[in-house]
Amino acid sequence: QVQLVESGGGLVRAGGSQRLSCAASGSSFSIYTMGWYRQPPGKQRELVAAILRGGSTNYADSEKGRFTISRDNAKNTVYLEMNSLKPEDTAVYYCRANLGPNVYWGQGTQVTVSS
């Protein structure tokens, strides 16, 4: 069982930056694939970025070059550094952990980008 707690959301102006953190409880954090997803108002949840246990990363096309996902296995934490934020980045951001068929979600943190 893994519990995930996101933090770092809030209100930011367009063009600004925000860093989200996701702290995981439990052991074996380092072997989980960790991801950030977001759900804009009235839309489906979508992948933002993922980082595999070996450190390889994947990004949605719209986030490449603006967002950076990283992990600190010693702290059981995954981060999402967001730069050049746009109003369309406004969403609830969720942290996800998965290992094989086991998938865990955090409760989400709201990011609002004002124009």
Side-chain angles (χ1 to χ4, degrees):
Q1 187 76 9
V2 175
Q3 291 186 326
L4 304 171
V5 178
E6 301 99 334
S7 61
L11 178 64
V12 62
R13 289 189 176 182
S17 299
Q18 195 91 340
R19 188 174 85 152
L20 305 181
S21 300
C22 172
S25 65
S27 59
S28 303
F29 171 82
S30 64
I31 66 173
Y32 279 79
T33 293
M34 301 299 299
W36 285 98
Y37 288 69
R38 68 185 182 188
Q39 188 165 13
K43 296 185 178 180
Q44 301 269 22
R45 193 173 297 189
E46 60 188 15
L47 172 69
V48 175
I51 184 166
L52 280 63
R53 61 184 183 181
S56 299
T57 56
N58 295 311
Y59 295 92
D61 287 343
S62 60
E63 277 70 63
K64 286 181 181 177
R66 297 192 303 126
F67 292 6
T68 302
I69 188 171
S70 61
R71 66 191 299 162
D72 185 336
N73 291 334
K75 295 183 178 180
N76 279 16
T77 301
V78 62
Y79 304 97
L80 184 68
E81 184 75 36
M82 304 184 292
N83 299 311
S84 302
L85 283 163
K86 307 172 184 178
E88 50 264 45
D89 294 317
T90 294
V92 179
Y93 284 72
Y94 295 92
C95 179
R96 178 181 187 265
N98 81 279
L99 179 65
N102 300 312
V103 178
Y104 306 95
W105 291 93
Q107 83 288 349
T109 186
Q110 175 72 45
V111 174
T112 302
V113 184
S114 64
S115 57

